[in-house]
Amino acid sequence: MKLSILSLAALTPLVAAHFKLDYPTPRGENEDIMTTFPCGGLAQSSERTKVSISDGSFPVVVTMGHMQTAFEVLLSLGNDPGTNFNVTLVPAFGARGLGSLCIPHVAFDEDTLGINITDGMNATVQVQSNGDPTGGLYACADIEFSSSTEYSKPSSCKNNTNVAAAPFTGEAAQRNANESTANGGVQSGGSSTSDSDSASTSTGGAVALQTAAWGMLGAAVVGGLKAALNSAQAPYTQHLYVLLDNQEVARQLQGCPRGSSQHTILDFQELTNNWPNRPLRCQAIPPGRVHVHWIPGHAGITGNEQADEQAKRGTMSTSQTNSSPARYAWALRTLKEEFWRRFQLYWTENAPQQYRDLSISLDKRPHELSLPRATLGRLLAARSGHGDFAQYHERFRHEDANLECSCRRPKSPHHFYYCRKGRKASPQPWGSRQVDEILRSKSGTRDFHEWLQESHFYSSICPAH
Ligand SMILES: *[C@@H]1O[C@H](CO)[C@@H](O)[C@H](O)[C@H]1NC(C)=O
Ligand SMILES: *[C@@H]1O[C@H](CO)[C@@H](O)[C@H](O)[C@H]1NC(C)=O
Ligand SMILES: *[C@@H]1O[C@H](CO)[C@@H](O)[C@H](O)[C@H]1NC(C)=O
Ligand SMILES: *[C@@H]1O[C@H](CO)[C@@H](O)[C@H](O)[C@H]1NC(C)=O
Ligand SMILES: *[C@@H]1O[C@H](CO)[C@@H](O)[C@H](O)[C@H]1NC(C)=O
């Protein structure tokens, strides 16, 4: 028997958990009020993590529940610091992937703190991220500086596979993560006017979102179900699975609705009952039914975010009403086209800043993929700024990194273009073309490859160590 699964996705209320602070020991966890500045609304903890003064650094570990997140690590000195997080330990950076991210050495010293640290002094660390969709998410850990504690790395300090983080550059690096988008942009609708203004706007917004969440969630489920009923795959689908990470909603959808969401739930149940009688069903496909399942939240579940995103789009897109079942080839082509269209849309909104600056457009078969791997690696590093570059090492405090090229200039993504030793080693083939064009165009990247071969630039002139 053929079993098609049309996953309608995990619909999440707008205030659901997005990241979790694992180390230093956090004040607690309450997803619902994590949008409250400061500290996600949680009061000071009696448990303070001891931090080694002699080492001058401590690890910070978070579990990420979003595919892309802007983070920042702040500190406030004193026993109960209130809102005064005026020390930036790690400026805003972008992280990708789900699961653990560990920064092993978040450094502090007299210069950053403005005072000499003594044994027993207390402080609070706040990790903040961008919100969803606006505002911020906040988690705090209370710490105590200690001269009798050695630096130690908790076992949770590792990076999950496919997790990557890189500093923001330019203006994005100056912005607070709670006022940034996941990729370092300005939050739409978010104002960065006066401090008191933006703080109160954000609290007001959070309250409104919390009250709205239930109603919106129910509406999204119904919208999603409607979209699924009318989707191009519906005729070939037997069972429909609705996966929710909100247990209460999942329970109510299947049982007796109560409270203000009754209407929405009844709409849902009516649609569900109609599923086996859907008019578009192919004869070969049994009627099937709608299953509602609760699945545990966001974090660490690969694909959940994408599913979420697809569901949201599904609820917004206009329904397709094919009068007769599609032919296989047609359906496949339509799906491919639709995928590409949505990917382009996604890319216009989410392309990294550096790619925008370089005007790198989207291509079904990116020409650079035909370059040998070593060159491709160098090219992507130069495009993204994520590589063996001085700014990158400084940002992440890689203490043993070699920050200079042998020509005595700092390593930078564009240094290969300007380095006089490089030029001497092999004449550069790019003539009057600018560095942007070398990094962007097909002929530029090809010349880049040839020149790297001739000059041995990254192996002899600017080696990693
Ligand atoms: C942070 O604020 C406190 C209290 O206002 C002040 O004493 C301290 O100098 C500030 N620290 C920095 C690094 O600005
Ligand atoms: C910190 O201590 C050093 C040496 O003990 C002293 O020279 C310096 O002035 C102190 N700094 C502050 C901000 O108190
Ligand atoms: C730091 O906090 C601990 C526990 O909250 C407290 O016992 C201690 O007195 C505080 N240290 C200072 C210097 O105030
Ligand atoms: C995790 O990745 C970040 C960014 O790439 C890096 O700075 C950090 O050192 C990594 N952590 C561990 C434990 O390797
Ligand atoms: C963002 O974080 C900063 C630093 O913690 C804080 O001063 C500011 O009020 C926050 N902005 C909003 C909109 O909450």
Side-chain angles (χ1 to χ4, degrees):
M1 186 179 63
K2 187 171 166 208
L3 180 77
S4 316
I5 297 176
L6 183 60
S7 163
L8 178 58
L11 293 153
T12 324
L14 295 167
V15 288
H18 307 284
F19 81 87
K20 185 159 94 60
L21 177 60
D22 299 311
Y23 192 91
T25 311
R27 288 185 171 186
E29 237 182 279
N30 185 343
E31 323 178 335
D32 293 344
I33 53 173
M34 212 175 166
T35 49
T36 313
F37 176 83
C39 298
L42 298 179
Q44 199 195 164
S45 158
S46 54
E47 194 187 338
R48 289 182 177 275
T49 303
K50 293 212 165 154
V51 161
S52 163
I53 298 181
S54 58
D55 185 77
S57 80
F58 59 93
V60 168
V61 187
V62 292
T63 302
M64 304 190 289
H66 271 230
M67 283 308 287
Q68 211 183 347
T69 314
F71 280 112
E72 152 180 58
V73 183
L74 304 173
L75 184 104
S76 180
L77 287 165
N79 284 337
D80 195 5
T83 59
N84 189 27
F85 287 85
N86 62 355
V87 178
T88 304
L89 294 180
V90 184
F93 64 96
R96 273 179 178 281
L98 299 170
S100 278
L101 169 71
C102 172
I103 311 172
H105 292 280
V106 171
F108 56 87
D109 57 23
E110 193 199 323
D111 287 346
T112 39
L113 267 50
I115 53 163
N116 284 333
I117 304 152
T118 54
D119 191 33
M121 215 179 242
N122 291 330
T124 299
V125 177
Q126 177 167 242
V127 177
Q128 56 186 36
S129 78
N130 62 301
D132 180 27
T134 53
L137 300 165
Y138 309 90
C140 285
D142 298 300
I143 60 169
E144 178 177 342
F145 294 106
S146 160
S147 52
S148 55
T149 303
E150 296 283 307
Y151 170 90
S152 81
K153 214 194 270 188
S155 59
S156 60
C157 179
K158 21 182 192 292
N159 287 342
N160 201 4
T161 335
N162 297 332
V163 160
F168 286 144
T169 53
E171 282 186 3
Q174 309 300 319
R175 209 167 279 134
N176 277 317
N178 59 339
E179 288 158 357
S180 162
T181 61
N183 56 19
V186 183
Q187 286 186 3
S188 60
S191 65
S192 46
T193 46
S194 84
D195 271 347
S196 58
D197 265 18
S198 55
S200 60
T201 317
S202 115
T203 325
V207 172
L209 287 180
Q210 277 180 51
T211 2
W214 167 263
M216 291 195 56
L217 177 62
V221 172
V222 172
L225 193 56
K226 279 189 185 150
L229 279 166
N230 290 321
S231 80
Q233 295 112 300
Y236 317 106
T237 302
Q238 180 182 352
H239 295 293
L240 186 68
Y241 289 84
V242 177
L243 307 176
L244 290 164
D245 66 358
N246 184 317
Q247 207 167 9
E248 174 62 14
V249 176
R251 217 173 50 73
Q252 286 215 33
L253 285 177
Q254 299 172 91
C256 287
R258 51 185 171 74
S260 61
S261 48
Q262 272 196 21
H263 275 301
T264 321
I265 306 274
L266 290 173
D267 282 352
F268 175 85
Q269 291 178 347
E270 193 185 325
L271 285 167
T272 304
N273 295 337
N274 284 338
W275 171 256
N277 309 321
R278 61 200 175 284
L280 296 177
R281 177 169 60 87
C282 284
Q283 275 186 351
I285 306 287
R289 67 185 198 91
V290 178
H291 302 260
V292 177
H293 287 295
W294 171 72
I295 51 161
H298 265 322
I301 298 179
T302 320
N304 200 349
E305 283 290 315
Q306 289 101 317
D308 211 352
E309 182 63 21
Q310 287 303 319
K312 282 186 195 152
R313 297 217 169 144
T315 62
M316 286 185 282
S317 63
T318 48
S319 56
Q320 300 148 297
T321 39
N322 307 1
S323 46
S324 62
R327 276 179 301 118
Y328 178 75
W330 177 87
L332 193 65
R333 195 173 63 234
T334 309
L335 269 178
K336 277 189 178 161
E337 281 167 9
E338 183 61 8
F339 175 80
W340 178 244
R341 195 185 63 76
R342 291 187 182 197
F343 184 55
Q344 281 174 309
L345 198 67
Y346 169 86
W347 193 248
T348 49
E349 287 162 11
N350 296 284
Q353 191 57 45
Q354 295 91 330
Y355 275 60
R356 295 174 197 220
D357 294 345
L358 289 168
S359 315
I360 294 172
S361 57
L362 201 52
D363 201 337
K364 277 192 184 165
R365 293 202 177 87
H367 60 80
E368 58 270 28
L369 292 187
S370 60
L371 291 169
R373 277 181 81 97
T375 304
L376 181 60
R378 297 296 180 189
L379 177 71
L380 296 181
R383 282 177 172 185
S384 65
H386 186 151
D388 176 32
F389 306 124
Q391 212 189 13
Y392 180 77
H393 292 310
E394 279 164 5
R395 196 59 171 282
F396 285 99
R397 300 174 209 262
H398 295 155
E399 271 134 31
D400 53 352
N402 180 4
L403 305 183
E404 283 185 356
C405 175
S406 65
C407 73
R408 302 243 137 273
R409 299 234 164 233
K411 288 178 182 172
S412 76
H414 295 173
H415 183 62
F416 74 91
Y417 184 88
Y418 300 103
C419 179
R420 63 189 160 73
K421 280 185 121 178
R423 215 174 293 148
K424 213 177 276 173
S426 169
Q428 294 170 331
W430 27 83
S432 63
R433 281 171 297 167
Q434 294 299 304
V435 61
D436 283 9
E437 197 182 335
I438 304 303
L439 295 178
R440 176 183 57 235
S441 71
K442 187 168 177 179
S443 67
T445 55
R446 210 182 288 134
D447 287 348
F448 178 63
H449 170 66
E450 311 237 300
W451 181 74
L452 289 185
Q453 299 293 103
E454 305 275 322
S455 63
H456 302 286
F457 185 70
Y458 287 114
S459 50
S460 332
I461 301 170
C462 267
H465 290 288

